[in-house]
């Protein structure tokens, strides 16, 4: 047997081992990816429940505090519209995650699994971005409503000098930025860990397809 035949035989043996390895690895990657997306789906549901509870707490708090909130937000359709819209969009994201989980669960090809992983990553990216934007907008609107509808807050701002007003606005902007940063760090911790695992699965599938 000449050198060329030996090379062909060695290449064939490596190809067979690689195929066998891929057949063994793919089911494991499939199960892990499906499990990760399932966890993401459950986390999104838990987050929705959390925000619903946060928004219903005032109804179980003191009557004075409840009356104050009613006075501030009673006629503000913008704030209420954003609140309900955020719930609708969060439910839509949960639906997309559920679809992604079902798609990964039934896929039977490495290429399709890769596409589903990419789709899941995009869903989470837009989900996090939406929540950060909504958080910032909600804080700004809540502050504006307080100044416009709460006599105590309005009187406080009216008593400020121009310099004090600038300082107050700076503090409000800083508070908003810090709050959004905390939310981003939360998402970075919770969703980031799971997305890193999903990315590792994607890279492993890429190596199998190469």
């Amino acid at each position: 047997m000449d050198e060329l035949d030996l090379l062909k035989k060695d290449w064939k043996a490596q190809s067979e081992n690689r195929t066998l390895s891929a057949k063994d690895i793919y089911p494991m990657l499939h199960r892990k990816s499906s499990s990760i997306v399932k966890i993401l789906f459950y986390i999104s549901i838990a987050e929705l429940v959390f925000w619903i509870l946060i928004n219903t707490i005032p109804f179980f708090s003191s009557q004075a505090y409840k009356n104050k909130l009613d006075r501030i937000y009673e006629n503000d359709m913008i704030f209420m519209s954003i609140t309900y819209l955020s719930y609708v969009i969060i439910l839509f994201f949960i639906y997309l995650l559920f679809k992604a989980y079902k798609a990964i669960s039934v896929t039977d090809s490495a290429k399709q699994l890769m596409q589903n992983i990419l789709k899941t990553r995009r869903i989470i990216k837009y989900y996090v971005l939406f929540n950060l934007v909504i958080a910032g907008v909600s804080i700004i609107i809540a502050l504006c409503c307080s100044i416009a509808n709460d006599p105590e807050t309005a009187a406080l701002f009216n008593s400020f000098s121009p310099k004090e007003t600038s300082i107050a606005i700076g503090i409000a902007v800083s508070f908003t930025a810090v709050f959004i940063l905390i939310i981003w760090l939360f998402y970075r911790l919770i969703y980031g860990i799971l997305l890193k695992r999903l990315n590792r699965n994607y890279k492993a599938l890429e190596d199998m397809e190469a």
Side-chain angles (χ1 to χ4, degrees):
M1 184 178 294
D2 60 17
E3 185 177 354
L4 180 60
D5 290 331
L6 287 172
L7 288 173
K8 287 181 178 180
K9 183 178 180 181
D10 183 59
W11 178 85
K12 184 177 179 180
Q14 288 181 2
S15 298
E16 289 175 352
N17 290 334
R18 183 179 179 184
T19 301
L20 179 62
S21 177
K23 287 181 179 178
D24 292 335
I25 292 174
Y26 176 75
M28 180 180 65
L29 293 174
H30 183 277
R31 286 194 302 271
K32 285 185 176 181
S33 299
S34 179
S35 177
I36 291 170
V37 178
K38 188 176 183 179
I39 293 172
L40 289 169
F41 170 69
Y42 286 146
I43 290 176
S44 64
I45 292 177
E47 184 182 353
L48 176 63
V49 172
F50 170 77
W51 287 117
I52 290 175
L53 290 175
I54 289 295
N55 287 327
T56 55
I57 284 176
F59 292 98
F60 302 98
S61 59
S62 66
Q63 188 62 40
Y65 181 64
K66 181 181 177 182
N67 291 339
K68 183 176 182 178
L69 289 179
D70 289 340
R71 183 172 63 251
I72 293 174
Y73 299 116
E74 181 179 10
N75 298 319
D76 195 280
M77 293 303 297
I78 296 177
F79 185 81
M80 297 305 297
S81 298
I82 288 179
T83 300
Y84 291 128
L85 177 64
S86 64
Y87 285 143
V88 170
I89 295 180
I90 289 175
L91 284 171
F92 178 66
F93 275 117
I94 290 174
Y95 168 72
L96 291 180
L97 278 175
F98 178 73
K99 281 189 65 177
Y101 164 66
K102 296 298 290 184
I104 288 178
S105 298
V106 301
T107 187
D108 56 359
S109 70
K111 184 177 181 180
Q112 186 62 43
L113 181 56
M114 290 171 66
Q115 291 176 352
N116 290 333
I117 288 175
L118 287 175
K119 186 183 297 184
T120 302
R121 285 165 51 184
R122 284 196 298 270
I123 291 171
I124 295 297
K125 176 183 175 181
Y126 292 132
Y127 178 70
V128 171
L129 180 62
F130 165 78
N131 282 333
L132 293 177
V133 171
I134 284 294
V137 171
S138 297
I139 292 175
I140 293 172
I141 291 178
L143 180 60
C144 292
C145 288
S146 296
I147 296 173
N149 301 327
D150 182 32
E152 295 178 3
T153 306
L156 180 63
F157 266 82
N158 290 332
S159 67
F160 285 164
S161 66
K163 183 179 180 180
E164 290 172 333
T165 301
S166 299
I167 293 173
I169 292 174
I171 292 173
V173 171
S174 300
F175 171 79
T176 302
V178 170
F179 183 74
I180 293 175
L181 177 62
I182 291 173
I183 295 177
W184 179 79
L185 290 174
F186 169 78
Y187 284 129
R188 182 80 173 176
L189 176 64
I190 301 300
Y191 289 104
I193 293 173
L194 294 172
L195 285 179
K196 281 183 179 179
R197 295 177 183 175
L198 209 57
N199 288 339
R200 283 200 296 267
N201 291 354
Y202 179 82
K203 290 179 180 178
L205 288 166
E206 270 191 326
D207 293 338
M208 288 170 53
E209 290 288 297

